[in-house]
Amino acid sequence: MKILVCISKTPDTTAKIAFIEGNTKLDESGIQWIINPYDEWYALVRAIELKEKDPATLIHLVTVGGVDTEPIIRKALALGGDEAIRIDSTSHDSFTIANQIAAVAKEGAYDLILTGKETIDYNSACIGSMLSALLDLPFISLADHLELNEKVATVKREIESGEETCEANLPLIVSCQKGMAEQRIPNMRGIMAARTKPLKVVAPVASAATTSISAFDLPPAKSGVKLIDPEQMDELVKLLKEEAKVI
Amino acid sequence: MVLVYIDQADQQIKKASLEALSYGAAIAKQLGCATEALVFGTVKDNLADLGKNGAQKVHQLKNETLNSMDVKVHSNLVAAAAKQLNANIVVFAHNLNGRAIAPAVAVKLDAGIVTGACSLPNMQNGFEVTKTVFSGKAFANIKIETAIKVIAINQNSFGLVAYDNAASIEAINLVIPPASIKITKVEKIEGDIPLTEANLVVSGGRGLKGPENWGILLDLAKALGAATACSRPVSDADWRPHHEHVGQTGIQIAPNLYIAIGISGAIQHLAGVNRSKTIVVINKDPEAPFFKAADYGVVGDAFDVVPRLTAAIEKAKAAN
Ligand SMILES: Cc1cc2nc3c(=O)[nH]c(=O)nc-3n(C[C@H](O)[C@H](O)[C@H](O)COP(=O)(O)OP(=O)(O)OC[C@H]3O[C@@H](n4cnc5c(N)ncnc54)[C@H](O)[C@@H]3O)c2cc1C
């Protein structure tokens, strides 16, 4: 069994988001970087759990990013990947990123490709679906359970009215969300081992960007809270009806 | 032509798709072109009614195997339909199914895509669409550089627009590819209002102390006709089901009214709810950070305030 886990670097969830250079660039000063939580907590940890059941499993990690992504790749390796591939491109265009990962995926002939549900920075939720088109493979989105039995995967996914269990033959692409696995913390042995695990850097394949970011914006600040006396709930209802007009 | 993919669940059209249709019709108006809808499966709704949200024509592929999502099959069919019908722009709702197929469709059409869109395109300088980024902490204006464009619009970000139309319905002829997944079991969850489609949401945090205390919140939700949500520690502790968890690592919502009860307002929580039109915070700590993001605040004990609020709502309802 060969599993490819897609890993992205994102700002820490507590990061204050601000922009510089005329709102065209994220202000990175003071930002702590983490592995995108959906990639780490759900996709990677589930891959590790599958390897624990079947030690012959190989886990490869792939990241599209500059050299600045290497600390988070090492952290992911400390949690448990076998080796990592960094595709040396700093593109923010989902299509370009998916093309890079598809090239690695084709070469590696993986049985299972796991992504997080989305990244918490650009929230595009594109990569799994795009890989499905680029590699002509089935894709199950928003999965919260995944079991493997020989070459068949059983996956539970979220649907509008609840949960659906599906079966698909491998190779398969799955995007992972809460429920898939429990967050883990790397241990000392993992951290030591990660230092010597292979981290291969490959050049990007040619791919024209289909989109570009022209500017960022922050949401308008709230004008200030109106406090209502806890004894005056009729007043709150009146405000919601007549001022806010939401009920 | 703007082609809008109409999503369904249990053979019923999703409200998110009607919103996507209204959004698609508004783009068509900007461009002076037609708005057409694409419906798969055996949907029970009256399809001519899609005219009321802006469709002039509905293309239907009526086949019950298409009632549940198979990304490989559905993305192939949407792309084939878009080519056959010469669509320039394909619009999806950024809901569960929309996010699963829209990016694959974009690849198949050599189209640039914006998911999580929250504005009409700005065509002054190319074709720019605003989307939410950093899980609701910011917006980005994305320029789509390709001839064909795909947009997946965030729920509750555009609204429904009423048109005085009846759409004409045509069968579309497409070859359905073989299934790539097999559905073996469906489990429905109870609860009537799906969180992402709700206009009103009542949400509880650790301040409610335990699952046994949720009754006051449920009563308030019932009085309002609101959906219920919770903070992450609440769902982590299994006080409430996971699908109620809102925030940066849960679902992001943008209802008209969000009432937060006993929630401190951590940055990760706010990221998921700060696009709500009106926010009411009930918290006993006047220093709780949530008050800074609120429109209305009540400093007080939830166990005292919430039943009072429910009673006030019942009273206002009775007076109407
Ligand atoms: C990587 C990461 C991701 C995260 N993602 C999310 C996310 O998606 N969503 C999310 O919600 N959190 C998320 N968190 C957690 C977040 O940081 C907060 O810990 C969490 O939101 C706090 O939940 P709470 O407000 O319910 O609890 P608390 O912070 O404990 O707040 C409880 C509040 O209740 C008030 N209170 C107590 N008793 C009463 C009473 N009787 N009446 C009225 N008020 C009362 C208190 O004053 C307090 O403000 C994340 C954290 C991390 C590190």
Side-chain angles (χ1 to χ4, degrees), chain A residues 13 121-124 129 157 163 165 167 178 212 215 217 234 243, chain B residues 69 100 115 131 134-135 137 139 141 143 145 182 185 187 245 296 315:
Chain A
T13 57
D121 50 7
Y122 293 98
N123 306 105
S124 291
S129 180
R157 69 174 171 191
E163 291 263 326
T165 306
E167 277 177 15
K178 192 166 182 167
S212 60
D217 245 326
D234 290 334
E243 190 179 71
Chain B
M69 175 53 64
T115 57
K131 82 177 282 311
F134 299 101
S135 305
K137 290 180 191 172
F139 300 102
N141 301 329
K143 190 179 255 179
E145 324 253 10
K182 188 168 92 197
K185 192 165 150 203
E187 292 155 84
H245 160 197
Y296 303 103
K315 196 167 110 194

PDB file of all heavy atoms in Angstrom, chain A residues 13 121-124 129 157 163 165 167 178 212 215 217 234 243, chain B residues 69 100 115 131 134-135 137 139 141 143 145 182 185 187 245 296 315:
ATOM      1  N   THR A  13      -3.736  29.211  13.728  1.00  0.00           N
ATOM      2  CA  THR A  13      -5.133  29.668  13.793  1.00  0.00           C
ATOM      3  C   THR A  13      -5.310  30.946  14.621  1.00  0.00           C
ATOM      4  O   THR A  13      -6.307  31.637  14.460  1.00  0.00           O
ATOM      5  CB  THR A  13      -6.052  28.583  14.403  1.00  0.00           C
ATOM      6  OG1 THR A  13      -5.549  28.248  15.692  1.00  0.00           O
ATOM      7  CG2 THR A  13      -6.104  27.350  13.530  1.00  0.00           C
ATOM      8  N   ASP A 121      -6.010  28.824   5.062  1.00  0.00           N
ATOM      9  CA  ASP A 121      -5.637  30.160   4.564  1.00  0.00           C
ATOM     10  C   ASP A 121      -6.473  30.555   3.335  1.00  0.00           C
ATOM     11  O   ASP A 121      -7.235  31.498   3.375  1.00  0.00           O
ATOM     12  CB  ASP A 121      -4.131  30.303   4.321  1.00  0.00           C
ATOM     13  CG  ASP A 121      -3.522  29.191   3.490  1.00  0.00           C
ATOM     14  OD1 ASP A 121      -4.265  28.339   2.967  1.00  0.00           O
ATOM     15  OD2 ASP A 121      -2.279  29.178   3.350  1.00  0.00           O
ATOM     16  N   TYR A 122      -6.370  29.805   2.257  1.00  0.00           N
ATOM     17  CA  TYR A 122      -7.125  30.218   1.058  1.00  0.00           C
ATOM     18  C   TYR A 122      -8.482  29.526   0.938  1.00  0.00           C
ATOM     19  O   TYR A 122      -9.291  29.899   0.088  1.00  0.00           O
ATOM     20  CB  TYR A 122      -6.261  30.064  -0.194  1.00  0.00           C
ATOM     21  CG  TYR A 122      -5.133  31.063  -0.130  1.00  0.00           C
ATOM     22  CD1 TYR A 122      -3.873  30.696   0.312  1.00  0.00           C
ATOM     23  CD2 TYR A 122      -5.383  32.407  -0.382  1.00  0.00           C
ATOM     24  CE1 TYR A 122      -2.868  31.641   0.467  1.00  0.00           C
ATOM     25  CE2 TYR A 122      -4.388  33.358  -0.229  1.00  0.00           C
ATOM     26  CZ  TYR A 122      -3.130  32.967   0.192  1.00  0.00           C
ATOM     27  OH  TYR A 122      -2.166  33.907   0.356  1.00  0.00           O
ATOM     28  N   ASN A 123      -8.751  28.541   1.779  1.00  0.00           N
ATOM     29  CA  ASN A 123     -10.078  27.904   1.844  1.00  0.00           C
ATOM     30  C   ASN A 123     -10.624  27.518   0.473  1.00  0.00           C
ATOM     31  O   ASN A 123     -11.822  27.645   0.229  1.00  0.00           O
ATOM     32  CB  ASN A 123     -11.100  28.835   2.513  1.00  0.00           C
ATOM     33  CG  ASN A 123     -10.661  29.321   3.874  1.00  0.00           C
ATOM     34  OD1 ASN A 123     -10.259  30.468   4.020  1.00  0.00           O
ATOM     35  ND2 ASN A 123     -10.709  28.452   4.859  1.00  0.00           N
ATOM     36  N   SER A 124      -9.768  27.069  -0.421  1.00  0.00           N
ATOM     37  CA  SER A 124     -10.265  26.820  -1.772  1.00  0.00           C
ATOM     38  C   SER A 124     -10.893  25.439  -1.934  1.00  0.00           C
ATOM     39  O   SER A 124     -11.779  25.256  -2.756  1.00  0.00           O
ATOM     40  CB  SER A 124      -9.150  27.000  -2.796  1.00  0.00           C
ATOM     41  OG  SER A 124      -8.816  28.359  -2.856  1.00  0.00           O
ATOM     42  N   SER A 129     -10.397  17.468  -5.719  1.00  0.00           N
ATOM     43  CA  SER A 129     -11.296  17.428  -6.865  1.00  0.00           C
ATOM     44  C   SER A 129     -10.518  17.620  -8.172  1.00  0.00           C
ATOM     45  O   SER A 129     -10.739  16.913  -9.159  1.00  0.00           O
ATOM     46  CB  SER A 129     -12.349  18.526  -6.694  1.00  0.00           C
ATOM     47  OG  SER A 129     -13.244  18.556  -7.757  1.00  0.00           O
ATOM     48  N   ARG A 157     -18.829   9.642   4.232  1.00  0.00           N
ATOM     49  CA  ARG A 157     -18.712  11.061   3.929  1.00  0.00           C
ATOM     50  C   ARG A 157     -19.948  11.804   4.405  1.00  0.00           C
ATOM     51  O   ARG A 157     -21.022  11.224   4.580  1.00  0.00           O
ATOM     52  CB  ARG A 157     -18.521  11.274   2.422  1.00  0.00           C
ATOM     53  CG  ARG A 157     -19.770  10.927   1.623  1.00  0.00           C
ATOM     54  CD  ARG A 157     -19.614  11.272   0.152  1.00  0.00           C
ATOM     55  NE  ARG A 157     -20.733  10.748  -0.622  1.00  0.00           N
ATOM     56  CZ  ARG A 157     -20.768  10.706  -1.943  1.00  0.00           C
ATOM     57  NH1 ARG A 157     -19.736  11.127  -2.639  1.00  0.00           N
ATOM     58  NH2 ARG A 157     -21.830  10.237  -2.572  1.00  0.00           N
ATOM     59  N   GLU A 163     -24.999  11.129   6.748  1.00  0.00           N
ATOM     60  CA  GLU A 163     -23.749  10.472   6.386  1.00  0.00           C
ATOM     61  C   GLU A 163     -24.034   9.387   5.372  1.00  0.00           C
ATOM     62  O   GLU A 163     -25.074   8.734   5.426  1.00  0.00           O
ATOM     63  CB  GLU A 163     -23.182   9.759   7.624  1.00  0.00           C
ATOM     64  CG  GLU A 163     -22.690  10.665   8.702  1.00  0.00           C
ATOM     65  CD  GLU A 163     -21.207  10.857   8.618  1.00  0.00           C
ATOM     66  OE1 GLU A 163     -20.492   9.907   8.233  1.00  0.00           O
ATOM     67  OE2 GLU A 163     -20.754  11.970   8.899  1.00  0.00           O
ATOM     68  N   THR A 165     -22.163   5.977   3.447  1.00  0.00           N
ATOM     69  CA  THR A 165     -21.003   5.095   3.365  1.00  0.00           C
ATOM     70  C   THR A 165     -20.841   4.689   1.909  1.00  0.00           C
ATOM     71  O   THR A 165     -21.814   4.280   1.267  1.00  0.00           O
ATOM     72  CB  THR A 165     -21.217   3.847   4.239  1.00  0.00           C
ATOM     73  OG1 THR A 165     -21.552   4.290   5.558  1.00  0.00           O
ATOM     74  CG2 THR A 165     -19.967   2.982   4.305  1.00  0.00           C
ATOM     75  N   GLU A 167     -18.194   2.678  -1.143  1.00  0.00           N
ATOM     76  CA  GLU A 167     -17.058   1.810  -1.437  1.00  0.00           C
ATOM     77  C   GLU A 167     -16.468   2.222  -2.769  1.00  0.00           C
ATOM     78  O   GLU A 167     -17.203   2.569  -3.692  1.00  0.00           O
ATOM     79  CB  GLU A 167     -17.526   0.365  -1.551  1.00  0.00           C
ATOM     80  CG  GLU A 167     -17.659  -0.316  -0.209  1.00  0.00           C
ATOM     81  CD  GLU A 167     -18.204  -1.727  -0.357  1.00  0.00           C
ATOM     82  OE1 GLU A 167     -18.211  -2.261  -1.491  1.00  0.00           O
ATOM     83  OE2 GLU A 167     -18.631  -2.261   0.672  1.00  0.00           O
ATOM     84  N   LYS A 178     -12.957  16.332  10.176  1.00  0.00           N
ATOM     85  CA  LYS A 178     -13.123  15.916  11.561  1.00  0.00           C
ATOM     86  C   LYS A 178     -13.806  14.560  11.666  1.00  0.00           C
ATOM     87  O   LYS A 178     -14.765  14.288  10.958  1.00  0.00           O
ATOM     88  CB  LYS A 178     -13.967  16.971  12.274  1.00  0.00           C
ATOM     89  CG  LYS A 178     -13.990  16.823  13.753  1.00  0.00           C
ATOM     90  CD  LYS A 178     -14.542  18.071  14.381  1.00  0.00           C
ATOM     91  CE  LYS A 178     -14.523  17.941  15.883  1.00  0.00           C
ATOM     92  NZ  LYS A 178     -14.763  19.202  16.545  1.00  0.00           N
ATOM     93  N   SER A 212      -5.174  34.798 -10.440  1.00  0.00           N
ATOM     94  CA  SER A 212      -4.159  35.505  -9.664  1.00  0.00           C
ATOM     95  C   SER A 212      -4.868  36.366  -8.624  1.00  0.00           C
ATOM     96  O   SER A 212      -6.023  36.757  -8.819  1.00  0.00           O
ATOM     97  CB  SER A 212      -3.302  36.377 -10.580  1.00  0.00           C
ATOM     98  OG  SER A 212      -4.134  37.317 -11.237  1.00  0.00           O
ATOM     99  N   ALA A 215      -5.822  41.684  -4.882  1.00  0.00           N
ATOM    100  CA  ALA A 215      -5.747  42.435  -3.624  1.00  0.00           C
ATOM    101  C   ALA A 215      -6.498  41.698  -2.527  1.00  0.00           C
ATOM    102  O   ALA A 215      -7.343  40.848  -2.802  1.00  0.00           O
ATOM    103  CB  ALA A 215      -6.344  43.820  -3.797  1.00  0.00           C
ATOM    104  N   ASP A 217      -8.547  42.262   1.407  1.00  0.00           N
ATOM    105  CA  ASP A 217      -9.357  43.216   2.161  1.00  0.00           C
ATOM    106  C   ASP A 217      -9.656  42.630   3.527  1.00  0.00           C
ATOM    107  O   ASP A 217      -9.734  41.414   3.646  1.00  0.00           O
ATOM    108  CB  ASP A 217     -10.715  43.366   1.460  1.00  0.00           C
ATOM    109  CG  ASP A 217     -10.911  44.745   0.929  1.00  0.00           C
ATOM    110  OD1 ASP A 217     -10.420  45.673   1.587  1.00  0.00           O
ATOM    111  OD2 ASP A 217     -11.550  44.873  -0.143  1.00  0.00           O
ATOM    112  N   ASP A 234     -37.389  42.160  26.294  1.00  0.00           N
ATOM    113  CA  ASP A 234     -38.354  42.673  25.310  1.00  0.00           C
ATOM    114  C   ASP A 234     -37.690  43.709  24.418  1.00  0.00           C
ATOM    115  O   ASP A 234     -37.960  43.797  23.218  1.00  0.00           O
ATOM    116  CB  ASP A 234     -39.553  43.322  26.018  1.00  0.00           C
ATOM    117  CG  ASP A 234     -40.417  42.277  26.711  1.00  0.00           C
ATOM    118  OD1 ASP A 234     -40.390  41.112  26.250  1.00  0.00           O
ATOM    119  OD2 ASP A 234     -41.086  42.616  27.700  1.00  0.00           O
ATOM    120  N   GLU A 243     -34.713  47.234  14.389  1.00  0.00           N
ATOM    121  CA  GLU A 243     -33.456  47.879  13.995  1.00  0.00           C
ATOM    122  C   GLU A 243     -32.650  46.955  13.082  1.00  0.00           C
ATOM    123  O   GLU A 243     -32.311  47.294  11.957  1.00  0.00           O
ATOM    124  CB  GLU A 243     -32.647  48.244  15.239  1.00  0.00           C
ATOM    125  CG  GLU A 243     -31.445  49.116  14.944  1.00  0.00           C
ATOM    126  CD  GLU A 243     -30.699  49.475  16.223  1.00  0.00           C
ATOM    127  OE1 GLU A 243     -30.051  48.570  16.813  1.00  0.00           O
ATOM    128  OE2 GLU A 243     -30.745  50.645  16.628  1.00  0.00           O
TER     129      GLU A 243
ATOM    130  N   MET B  69     -24.056  11.813  -5.206  1.00  0.00           N
ATOM    131  CA  MET B  69     -22.858  12.370  -5.835  1.00  0.00           C
ATOM    132  C   MET B  69     -21.789  11.322  -6.111  1.00  0.00           C
ATOM    133  O   MET B  69     -21.383  10.594  -5.204  1.00  0.00           O
ATOM    134  CB  MET B  69     -22.307  13.470  -4.912  1.00  0.00           C
ATOM    135  CG  MET B  69     -21.004  14.108  -5.325  1.00  0.00           C
ATOM    136  SD  MET B  69     -20.957  14.748  -7.019  1.00  0.00           S
ATOM    137  CE  MET B  69     -22.186  16.044  -6.973  1.00  0.00           C
ATOM    138  N   ALA B 100     -17.270  19.528  -4.054  1.00  0.00           N
ATOM    139  CA  ALA B 100     -16.694  18.259  -4.515  1.00  0.00           C
ATOM    140  C   ALA B 100     -16.454  18.260  -6.023  1.00  0.00           C
ATOM    141  O   ALA B 100     -15.450  17.725  -6.489  1.00  0.00           O
ATOM    142  CB  ALA B 100     -17.605  17.092  -4.126  1.00  0.00           C
ATOM    143  N   THR B 115     -13.599  29.472  -5.689  1.00  0.00           N
ATOM    144  CA  THR B 115     -14.548  28.830  -4.778  1.00  0.00           C
ATOM    145  C   THR B 115     -14.714  29.726  -3.556  1.00  0.00           C
ATOM    146  O   THR B 115     -13.815  30.513  -3.236  1.00  0.00           O
ATOM    147  CB  THR B 115     -14.035  27.457  -4.310  1.00  0.00           C
ATOM    148  OG1 THR B 115     -12.761  27.643  -3.698  1.00  0.00           O
ATOM    149  CG2 THR B 115     -13.907  26.469  -5.450  1.00  0.00           C
ATOM    150  N   LYS B 131     -13.501  36.535  -2.765  1.00  0.00           N
ATOM    151  CA  LYS B 131     -13.794  35.318  -2.000  1.00  0.00           C
ATOM    152  C   LYS B 131     -13.327  35.504  -0.562  1.00  0.00           C
ATOM    153  O   LYS B 131     -12.491  36.353  -0.279  1.00  0.00           O
ATOM    154  CB  LYS B 131     -13.124  34.088  -2.640  1.00  0.00           C
ATOM    155  CG  LYS B 131     -11.658  33.910  -2.267  1.00  0.00           C
ATOM    156  CD  LYS B 131     -11.062  32.648  -2.856  1.00  0.00           C
ATOM    157  CE  LYS B 131     -11.336  31.356  -2.251  1.00  0.00           C
ATOM    158  NZ  LYS B 131     -11.320  30.792  -1.054  1.00  0.00           N
ATOM    159  N   PHE B 134      -8.611  33.012   4.730  1.00  0.00           N
ATOM    160  CA  PHE B 134      -8.236  32.900   6.138  1.00  0.00           C
ATOM    161  C   PHE B 134      -9.473  32.600   6.982  1.00  0.00           C
ATOM    162  O   PHE B 134      -9.708  33.196   8.022  1.00  0.00           O
ATOM    163  CB  PHE B 134      -7.478  34.156   6.599  1.00  0.00           C
ATOM    164  CG  PHE B 134      -6.197  34.352   5.813  1.00  0.00           C
ATOM    165  CD1 PHE B 134      -6.121  35.261   4.772  1.00  0.00           C
ATOM    166  CD2 PHE B 134      -5.094  33.557   6.075  1.00  0.00           C
ATOM    167  CE1 PHE B 134      -4.964  35.394   4.015  1.00  0.00           C
ATOM    168  CE2 PHE B 134      -3.926  33.683   5.326  1.00  0.00           C
ATOM    169  CZ  PHE B 134      -3.865  34.600   4.300  1.00  0.00           C
ATOM    170  N   SER B 135     -10.273  31.678   6.473  1.00  0.00           N
ATOM    171  CA  SER B 135     -11.467  31.184   7.166  1.00  0.00           C
ATOM    172  C   SER B 135     -12.346  32.310   7.681  1.00  0.00           C
ATOM    173  O   SER B 135     -12.841  32.252   8.797  1.00  0.00           O
ATOM    174  CB  SER B 135     -11.066  30.261   8.314  1.00  0.00           C
ATOM    175  OG  SER B 135     -10.260  29.226   7.826  1.00  0.00           O
ATOM    176  N   LYS B 137     -11.428  35.517   8.066  1.00  0.00           N
ATOM    177  CA  LYS B 137     -10.744  36.680   8.645  1.00  0.00           C
ATOM    178  C   LYS B 137     -10.471  37.764   7.605  1.00  0.00           C
ATOM    179  O   LYS B 137     -10.115  38.879   7.952  1.00  0.00           O
ATOM    180  CB  LYS B 137      -9.415  36.247   9.273  1.00  0.00           C
ATOM    181  CG  LYS B 137      -9.560  35.406  10.542  1.00  0.00           C
ATOM    182  CD  LYS B 137      -8.184  35.031  11.073  1.00  0.00           C
ATOM    183  CE  LYS B 137      -8.270  33.974  12.161  1.00  0.00           C
ATOM    184  NZ  LYS B 137      -6.942  33.473  12.530  1.00  0.00           N
ATOM    185  N   PHE B 139     -10.766  38.915   2.981  1.00  0.00           N
ATOM    186  CA  PHE B 139     -11.263  38.660   1.626  1.00  0.00           C
ATOM    187  C   PHE B 139     -10.107  38.785   0.637  1.00  0.00           C
ATOM    188  O   PHE B 139      -9.159  39.523   0.899  1.00  0.00           O
ATOM    189  CB  PHE B 139     -12.327  39.703   1.245  1.00  0.00           C
ATOM    190  CG  PHE B 139     -13.509  39.710   2.162  1.00  0.00           C
ATOM    191  CD1 PHE B 139     -13.636  40.695   3.136  1.00  0.00           C
ATOM    192  CD2 PHE B 139     -14.485  38.734   2.059  1.00  0.00           C
ATOM    193  CE1 PHE B 139     -14.730  40.702   3.996  1.00  0.00           C
ATOM    194  CE2 PHE B 139     -15.586  38.743   2.912  1.00  0.00           C
ATOM    195  CZ  PHE B 139     -15.706  39.719   3.879  1.00  0.00           C
ATOM    196  N   ASN B 141      -9.460  39.414  -3.656  1.00  0.00           N
ATOM    197  CA  ASN B 141     -10.012  39.621  -4.996  1.00  0.00           C
ATOM    198  C   ASN B 141      -9.197  38.777  -5.957  1.00  0.00           C
ATOM    199  O   ASN B 141      -7.994  38.962  -6.097  1.00  0.00           O
ATOM    200  CB  ASN B 141      -9.916  41.088  -5.419  1.00  0.00           C
ATOM    201  CG  ASN B 141     -10.661  41.979  -4.451  1.00  0.00           C
ATOM    202  OD1 ASN B 141     -11.655  41.556  -3.857  1.00  0.00           O
ATOM    203  ND2 ASN B 141     -10.186  43.182  -4.262  1.00  0.00           N
ATOM    204  N   LYS B 143      -8.478  37.334  -9.705  1.00  0.00           N
ATOM    205  CA  LYS B 143      -8.711  37.566 -11.132  1.00  0.00           C
ATOM    206  C   LYS B 143      -8.691  36.220 -11.846  1.00  0.00           C
ATOM    207  O   LYS B 143      -7.751  35.445 -11.687  1.00  0.00           O
ATOM    208  CB  LYS B 143      -7.599  38.474 -11.671  1.00  0.00           C
ATOM    209  CG  LYS B 143      -7.873  38.971 -13.074  1.00  0.00           C
ATOM    210  CD  LYS B 143      -6.754  39.885 -13.543  1.00  0.00           C
ATOM    211  CE  LYS B 143      -7.191  41.340 -13.518  1.00  0.00           C
ATOM    212  NZ  LYS B 143      -6.142  42.256 -13.937  1.00  0.00           N
ATOM    213  N   GLU B 145      -8.197  34.313 -15.201  1.00  0.00           N
ATOM    214  CA  GLU B 145      -7.468  34.689 -16.418  1.00  0.00           C
ATOM    215  C   GLU B 145      -7.890  33.892 -17.657  1.00  0.00           C
ATOM    216  O   GLU B 145      -7.321  34.084 -18.722  1.00  0.00           O
ATOM    217  CB  GLU B 145      -5.956  34.483 -16.216  1.00  0.00           C
ATOM    218  CG  GLU B 145      -5.446  34.810 -14.817  1.00  0.00           C
ATOM    219  CD  GLU B 145      -4.644  36.098 -14.785  1.00  0.00           C
ATOM    220  OE1 GLU B 145      -4.669  36.798 -15.801  1.00  0.00           O
ATOM    221  OE2 GLU B 145      -4.016  36.371 -13.735  1.00  0.00           O
ATOM    222  N   LYS B 182     -19.583   3.117  -4.993  1.00  0.00           N
ATOM    223  CA  LYS B 182     -20.853   2.426  -4.739  1.00  0.00           C
ATOM    224  C   LYS B 182     -21.342   2.847  -3.355  1.00  0.00           C
ATOM    225  O   LYS B 182     -20.592   2.757  -2.382  1.00  0.00           O
ATOM    226  CB  LYS B 182     -20.601   0.914  -4.778  1.00  0.00           C
ATOM    227  CG  LYS B 182     -21.858   0.083  -4.711  1.00  0.00           C
ATOM    228  CD  LYS B 182     -21.576  -1.383  -5.039  1.00  0.00           C
ATOM    229  CE  LYS B 182     -21.296  -2.134  -3.747  1.00  0.00           C
ATOM    230  NZ  LYS B 182     -20.642  -3.431  -3.934  1.00  0.00           N
ATOM    231  N   LYS B 185     -24.631   2.567   2.270  1.00  0.00           N
ATOM    232  CA  LYS B 185     -25.455   2.861   3.440  1.00  0.00           C
ATOM    233  C   LYS B 185     -25.678   4.373   3.548  1.00  0.00           C
ATOM    234  O   LYS B 185     -24.764   5.154   3.291  1.00  0.00           O
ATOM    235  CB  LYS B 185     -24.711   2.372   4.688  1.00  0.00           C
ATOM    236  CG  LYS B 185     -25.541   2.330   5.941  1.00  0.00           C
ATOM    237  CD  LYS B 185     -24.826   1.497   7.006  1.00  0.00           C
ATOM    238  CE  LYS B 185     -25.156   1.964   8.390  1.00  0.00           C
ATOM    239  NZ  LYS B 185     -24.128   1.574   9.356  1.00  0.00           N
ATOM    240  N   GLU B 187     -27.146   7.202   6.362  1.00  0.00           N
ATOM    241  CA  GLU B 187     -27.680   7.451   7.711  1.00  0.00           C
ATOM    242  C   GLU B 187     -28.130   8.898   7.778  1.00  0.00           C
ATOM    243  O   GLU B 187     -27.330   9.809   7.586  1.00  0.00           O
ATOM    244  CB  GLU B 187     -26.583   7.233   8.762  1.00  0.00           C
ATOM    245  CG  GLU B 187     -26.132   5.800   8.907  1.00  0.00           C
ATOM    246  CD  GLU B 187     -24.707   5.712   9.445  1.00  0.00           C
ATOM    247  OE1 GLU B 187     -24.528   5.765  10.657  1.00  0.00           O
ATOM    248  OE2 GLU B 187     -23.779   5.607   8.621  1.00  0.00           O
ATOM    249  N   HIS B 245     -20.306  22.004  15.126  1.00  0.00           N
ATOM    250  CA  HIS B 245     -19.089  22.765  15.442  1.00  0.00           C
ATOM    251  C   HIS B 245     -18.826  23.842  14.388  1.00  0.00           C
ATOM    252  O   HIS B 245     -18.581  23.537  13.237  1.00  0.00           O
ATOM    253  CB  HIS B 245     -17.934  21.753  15.568  1.00  0.00           C
ATOM    254  CG  HIS B 245     -16.549  22.325  15.427  1.00  0.00           C
ATOM    255  ND1 HIS B 245     -15.456  21.537  15.184  1.00  0.00           N
ATOM    256  CD2 HIS B 245     -16.072  23.580  15.515  1.00  0.00           C
ATOM    257  CE1 HIS B 245     -14.373  22.282  15.105  1.00  0.00           C
ATOM    258  NE2 HIS B 245     -14.721  23.525  15.295  1.00  0.00           N
ATOM    259  N   TYR B 296     -25.197  43.303  19.432  1.00  0.00           N
ATOM    260  CA  TYR B 296     -25.946  43.461  20.679  1.00  0.00           C
ATOM    261  C   TYR B 296     -25.340  42.541  21.716  1.00  0.00           C
ATOM    262  O   TYR B 296     -24.965  41.402  21.402  1.00  0.00           O
ATOM    263  CB  TYR B 296     -27.426  43.106  20.481  1.00  0.00           C
ATOM    264  CG  TYR B 296     -28.082  43.921  19.394  1.00  0.00           C
ATOM    265  CD1 TYR B 296     -28.320  43.371  18.131  1.00  0.00           C
ATOM    266  CD2 TYR B 296     -28.456  45.251  19.626  1.00  0.00           C
ATOM    267  CE1 TYR B 296     -28.906  44.129  17.118  1.00  0.00           C
ATOM    268  CE2 TYR B 296     -29.042  46.011  18.621  1.00  0.00           C
ATOM    269  CZ  TYR B 296     -29.259  45.444  17.370  1.00  0.00           C
ATOM    270  OH  TYR B 296     -29.831  46.197  16.381  1.00  0.00           O
ATOM    271  N   LYS B 315     -43.652  36.035  23.534  1.00  0.00           N
ATOM    272  CA  LYS B 315     -44.605  37.112  23.779  1.00  0.00           C
ATOM    273  C   LYS B 315     -44.805  37.942  22.506  1.00  0.00           C
ATOM    274  O   LYS B 315     -45.936  38.251  22.120  1.00  0.00           O
ATOM    275  CB  LYS B 315     -44.073  37.997  24.922  1.00  0.00           C
ATOM    276  CG  LYS B 315     -45.114  38.914  25.533  1.00  0.00           C
ATOM    277  CD  LYS B 315     -44.601  39.512  26.830  1.00  0.00           C
ATOM    278  CE  LYS B 315     -44.337  40.997  26.639  1.00  0.00           C
ATOM    279  NZ  LYS B 315     -43.532  41.584  27.727  1.00  0.00           N
TER     280      LYS B 315
END
